Amino acid sequence: MAALSQLSDDIVRSMSVGAVFSDFGGNINSLDFHRTADLLVTSSDDDSVRFYDIISAKILKTTYHKKHGADRVCFTHHPSSVICSSKHDLDSHGESLRYLSLYDNRCIRYFKGHKERIVSLCMSPVNDSFMSGSLDHTVRMWDLRVNACQGILHLRGRPSVAYDQQGLVFAVSMEGGAIKLFDSRSYDKGPFDTFLVGGDMAELCDIKFSNDGKSMLLTTTCMFLMLIMEIRSKCGFNMDSSQNAIEATFTPDGLYLLSSSGDRNLHAWNISNEPTKIASFDSYIGVPSCLRWAPRRVMFAAAAESVLTLWIPNNSEVADVS
């Protein structure tokens, strides 16, 4: 498996399916790559959290969480620990988030506070802080080392949260297409910037920063994909629309983005200047609801319903996965 170097249009166009995992017992809800290790984690409606080695394209471990379920999941800084949000019976136990060790299948810590399903979850890239956004109209700040919530924002609508790659700024979305930017070291002072995107029809369901922090990728419940090329100047583009929810991801160099679409294809864009579509691929699995480019490899993962695929350049070794 090739390490990430300078991507080109030809390399992106050459991406093809290298491995397929179709043994899930329910829809895949989320996936995440570790920032420094060659690992992937997934969560799904069969209450499983699955742990993969992306170099060998082999599953390392599967754990089941029947009491709480497995909804959103993201890695911590430790390669065998994750944060997972609960899906079952939030009213009865209130344990909306769990800090899990996949090494020994142990729950290290429970986090209580959210009253409804968590729809956005992200880990700080620089310390033990993480954030969660819930349909209870709150965003909560947490620290892996303590159970208690460290801060709370009350918002209108469905919130989405994201840290920039330096951990200095985080973004929070709310209804009406409003995005608020906070200094992560002094968020209690309120946002230092607020701007609107897409008008009243745009309820944002995901936010991603590029690695250089200059661009922001937004997906909405109205099936629009928006790219904010220069956050400070608010220069944006409507990238695509479809009949189904879109998922999208930056490449680590920030020069390309990849999106899923209701036409069952994956679309690749060169965004080094004005966005230009350079390729479309048949996803082979329907409309991917999870899509993420690996931070250290020429690879991305796409999942639709109960099937996970790993994509690599077609001149790479293809994994034989039974």
Side-chain angles (χ1 to χ4, degrees):
M1 169 60 60
L4 186 70
S5 57
Q6 184 68 37
L7 290 174
S8 67
D9 289 5
D10 288 339
I11 292 174
V12 174
R13 290 190 187 104
S14 76
M15 300 298 287
S16 59
V17 176
V20 179
F21 301 88
S22 56
D23 58 342
F24 292 84
N27 287 349
I28 299 167
N29 293 320
S30 67
L31 59 83
D32 189 35
F33 286 100
H34 194 270
R35 290 175 61 87
T36 59
D38 290 313
L39 299 170
L40 172 71
V41 66
T42 64
S43 59
S44 76
D45 278 345
D46 62 5
D47 302 326
S48 72
V49 174
R50 304 183 187 216
F51 196 43
Y52 299 85
D53 181 325
I54 64 171
I55 299 300
S56 62
K58 300 294 184 182
I59 187 165
L60 299 176
K61 193 163 190 176
T62 301
T63 63
Y64 287 94
H65 307 267
K66 296 299 183 182
K67 176 181 177 182
H68 298 88
D71 200 356
R72 310 295 298 180
V73 69
C74 70
F75 273 108
T76 67
H77 297 291
H78 194 283
S80 63
S81 298
V82 300
I83 308 162
C84 185
S85 68
S86 302
K87 197 165 188 179
H88 305 324
D89 302 323
L90 288 179
D91 291 338
S92 61
H93 55 67
E95 295 162 349
S96 54
L97 288 159
R98 289 156 292 133
Y99 177 19
L100 304 176
S101 169
L102 299 180
Y103 173 75
D104 53 6
N105 193 21
R106 179 171 60 94
C107 182
I108 301 171
R109 186 164 288 113
Y110 292 102
F111 302 94
K112 297 183 179 182
H114 287 300
K115 303 302 182 184
E116 295 190 41
R117 180 185 168 216
I118 290 169
V119 292
S120 188
L121 181 65
C122 63
M123 184 79 203
S124 167
V126 296
N127 57 36
D128 287 331
S129 301
F130 67 99
M131 292 189 298
S132 56
S134 168
L135 294 178
D136 63 10
H137 310 302
T138 66
V139 168
R140 290 178 179 263
M141 290 73 174
W142 311 89
D143 189 307
L144 286 175
R145 297 165 294 184
V146 294
N147 298 78
C149 177
Q150 302 297 293
I152 184 169
L153 301 173
H154 295 274
L155 304 168
R156 301 187 309 274
R158 172 193 175 116
S160 183
V161 295
Y163 286 99
D164 78 338
Q165 296 301 311
Q166 291 71 44
L168 299 176
V169 172
F170 67 81
V172 175
S173 70
M174 53 190 296
E175 72 177 12
I179 297 176
K180 295 180 180 292
L181 300 180
F182 294 81
D183 185 325
S184 59
R185 298 159 297 185
S186 56
Y187 61 83
D188 55 321
K189 296 180 181 178
F192 65 83
D193 197 3
T194 300
F195 58 97
L196 300 175
V197 293
D200 292 338
M201 294 178 61
E203 184 178 32
L204 298 175
C205 56
D206 194 30
I207 306 174
K208 294 183 178 75
F209 284 95
S210 60
N211 278 353
D212 60 11
K214 294 181 179 179
S215 301
M216 187 184 293
L217 186 58
L218 313 171
T219 55
T220 81
T221 55
C222 294
M223 285 68 79
F224 282 95
L225 175 65
M226 290 177 283
L227 175 67
I228 310 299
M229 292 290 288
E230 292 291 340
I231 294 175
R232 293 187 181 277
S233 63
K234 316 299 188 300
C235 175
F237 297 88
N238 285 335
M239 301 290 294
D240 204 356
S241 63
S242 74
Q243 296 178 351
N244 297 89
I246 293 176
E247 174 68 320
T249 181
F250 283 113
T251 56
D253 59 11
L255 300 180
Y256 297 88
L257 68 81
L258 194 68
S259 72
S260 63
S261 181
D263 61 8
R264 304 170 69 89
N265 288 329
L266 298 171
H267 303 286
W269 309 73
N270 183 321
I271 58 170
S272 56
N273 292 300
E274 185 167 334
T276 303
K277 186 181 289 189
I278 61 168
S280 293
F281 322 96
D282 188 333
S283 73
Y284 301 108
I285 56 174
V287 181
S289 57
C290 302
L291 186 64
R292 187 70 63 91
W293 197 287
R296 302 174 60 247
R297 299 290 174 181
V298 186
M299 170 189 278
F300 67 84
E305 297 183 348
S306 59
V307 181
L308 169 68
T309 54
L310 301 180
W311 292 62
I312 57 177
N314 60 16
N315 61 348
S316 299
E317 294 185 6
V318 176
D320 181 13
V321 179
S322 58

